[in-house]
Amino acid sequence: MPSVTTPPADSLLQHRAFVAFWFARIASGFGFQMLSVAVGWQIYAVTGRAFDLGLIGLVQFVPSLLLALPAGHVADQFERRRIVLLGQVVEWIAIALLTGMSLAHGIHEVGILLLVCVIGIAKAFEFPALQSMLPALVPAAILPRAMAVSASAGQAAMIMGPALGGFLYVAGPGVVYSVCGALYLVSVALMGRLHYEQAPPKREPATLRTLFAGVHFIRARKDVLGVISLDLFAVLLGGATALLPIFARDILHTGPWGLGLLRAAPAVGALLMSVWLARHSLQQRVGTIMFAAVAGFGVATLVFAVSTTLWLSLAALFALGAFDMVSMVIRGALVQLETPDDMRGRVSAVNAIFINTSNQLGEFESGMLAAWVGAVSATVIGGIGTLAVVGLWMGMFPTLRQRQRLHVEAAAPADTR
């Protein structure tokens, strides 16, 4: 069928809506990364307490966890583009208030945390709607490549956004917030002009059944459950990046510049892999590739754990980020293509809970284990645990292991499994 053939390498450029979507993600991604740097520096300058830096993460994580299921329900009940627009407008207002208070020297830690919490609430509703929009912008056959290109926007922002924010902070936090606000306005303008077609949503009242529909949907589909839970446990066990300050100072004997390189290495690997995936379609043996990528993630974690030289550690983290990008693209595309459009918001919300939980608890688990057995041993245990999860999941989810293509189910929805 024509829809299944591999399109030309530049075919994504023919979808103007996707290009606008990508540039909007670039703008908001850079703005948010710069915002994160400025907020951290400013609140520490105001209070001088490391505890308050932890509160910045907490006031963002709590809304993302508590509001995930209601946000998914909303994403399936209303036009997703408008939800994203509303979320970004609320974030822009919060940033504008941060700008005004900073320029007027009337900033206070409580005010910063409250506004960051508002941004966290807006992002909790924005995320599932934004994730659910992408399958409607490109044909199913090139969705994996579109997801890779979309992910490259986030990786580029993670690499360059903090550096740009730190550079601008020399002129003051108000300058950083002003640039962030301008970038968010660009994103809002692009999203506002985006041509996005969505089937009229079926309006349902918010009940326990509708709120947990995404959970029930994932449980009923083995491949979706397998790919999401595989990523959860792999990241949960293999969270070596939380221990980078220890490795930089005590094992690799480098300074802050070395720590900066170590933090950037996974994002650089992920960015370059996303560029490669955007040019090459995943057409065969996607299940095997998925498991191999997660296994590669575990091996890279082990290499990093035993490395005592900076160049080898950087290479291991580079590979870790690249392998993680492969699994992320396959997971994201498979979940979106397996899910009907009227369920994508709720399923994306559950997926967001898994992602946030694995990242946050992964850092906590790594820190606690390192305090008990040491950073090297904790990272070795995490790498071995990741490989063990891969072996177990290959046995528990044989259809995922044997899966050949990502888009077969989307092309033949009447097929019974």
Side-chain angles (χ1 to χ4, degrees):
M1 294 176 60
S3 61
V4 182
T5 57
T6 304
D10 62 345
S11 60
L12 283 173
L13 298 179
Q14 299 171 7
H15 299 276
R16 295 183 179 180
F18 174 77
V19 174
F21 179 85
W22 186 79
F23 276 109
R25 284 209 63 184
I26 280 278
S28 62
F30 266 81
F32 183 73
Q33 292 297 329
M34 293 167 61
L35 174 73
S36 299
V37 170
V39 164
W41 275 103
Q42 188 177 33
I43 201 166
Y44 191 65
V46 170
T47 69
R49 295 192 298 266
F51 175 75
D52 289 329
L53 296 178
L55 290 179
I56 296 173
L58 182 64
V59 297
Q60 295 178 83
F61 174 70
V62 171
S64 71
L65 183 65
L66 296 181
L67 297 175
L69 295 182
H73 176 80
V74 169
D76 287 335
Q77 299 297 304
F78 300 95
E79 185 186 347
R80 290 162 184 155
R81 185 178 63 89
R82 293 187 178 182
I83 297 171
V84 173
L85 274 172
L86 180 60
Q88 292 189 349
V89 168
V90 171
E91 292 162 41
W92 178 83
I93 292 173
I95 293 170
L97 290 174
L98 283 170
T99 304
M101 289 190 294
S102 298
L103 293 176
H105 303 289
I107 202 74
H108 188 270
E109 61 172 309
V110 176
I112 297 174
L113 291 174
L114 283 174
L115 290 172
V116 170
C117 183
V118 170
I119 293 172
I121 293 171
K123 280 202 166 294
F125 283 92
E126 178 190 346
F127 180 83
L130 188 69
Q131 291 292 102
S132 303
M133 286 178 63
L134 187 54
L137 301 179
V138 297
I142 60 172
L143 180 62
R145 295 169 61 192
M147 296 198 73
V149 174
S150 180
S152 70
Q155 296 301 324
M158 287 178 63
I159 295 170
M160 293 178 281
L164 181 58
F167 176 77
L168 291 175
Y169 196 90
V170 175
V175 174
V176 184
Y177 295 139
S178 298
V179 175
C180 293
L183 288 170
Y184 264 86
L185 283 180
V186 170
S187 181
V188 168
L190 289 169
M191 279 289 176
R193 298 181 61 184
L194 181 68
H195 178 67
Y196 174 71
E197 295 182 358
Q198 178 182 348
K202 301 175 182 177
R203 297 292 174 87
E204 297 179 280
T207 64
L208 288 178
R209 182 185 66 81
T210 58
L211 288 177
F212 284 87
V215 177
H216 297 313
F217 180 90
I218 290 172
R219 287 182 58 188
R221 283 156 179 81
K222 294 283 286 184
D223 284 4
V224 176
L225 176 62
V227 76
I228 291 179
S229 57
L230 174 66
D231 181 77
L232 167 66
F233 287 103
V235 175
L236 185 64
L237 294 171
T241 53
L243 306 178
L244 288 182
I246 300 175
F247 277 90
R249 189 187 67 179
D250 300 337
I251 298 170
L252 302 175
H253 306 292
T254 185
W257 65 272
L259 176 59
L261 291 176
L262 292 172
R263 287 197 177 278
V268 173
L271 175 61
L272 293 181
M273 179 56 73
S274 69
V275 173
W276 189 89
L277 290 171
R279 303 284 299 180
H280 299 82
S281 295
L282 295 169
Q283 291 291 327
Q284 296 180 342
R285 304 177 65 188
V286 294
T288 301
I289 293 172
M290 172 75 186
F291 281 109
V294 179
F297 181 91
V299 171
T301 301
L302 288 173
V303 173
F304 174 76
V306 301
S307 171
T308 56
T309 58
L310 181 60
W311 69 266
L312 181 58
S313 297
L314 289 172
L317 290 173
F318 178 92
L320 183 147
F323 283 125
D324 188 46
M325 176 57 64
V326 174
S327 65
M328 186 187 79
V329 168
I330 293 176
R331 179 189 74 244
L334 190 149
V335 170
Q336 294 290 354
L337 291 172
E338 284 274 310
T339 307
D341 185 64
D342 62 348
M343 284 290 300
R344 283 194 175 120
R346 282 167 286 185
V347 171
S348 294
V350 177
N351 192 25
I353 294 175
F354 276 70
I355 293 171
N356 290 332
T357 300
S358 63
N359 289 334
Q360 300 291 335
L361 290 185
E363 293 183 1
F364 176 76
E365 176 269 337
S366 295
M368 293 299 99
L369 192 58
W372 183 32
V373 300
V376 173
S377 297
T379 307
V380 168
I381 292 171
I384 293 174
T386 298
L387 294 175
V389 167
V390 171
L392 286 172
W393 260 240
M394 289 179 71
M396 292 169 56
F397 299 93
T399 59
L400 178 60
R401 184 185 73 244
Q402 298 163 6
R403 191 177 182 113
Q404 292 295 312
R405 296 177 179 271
L406 288 168
H407 56 268
V408 169
E409 287 71 20
D415 185 27
T416 57
R417 303 183 62 180

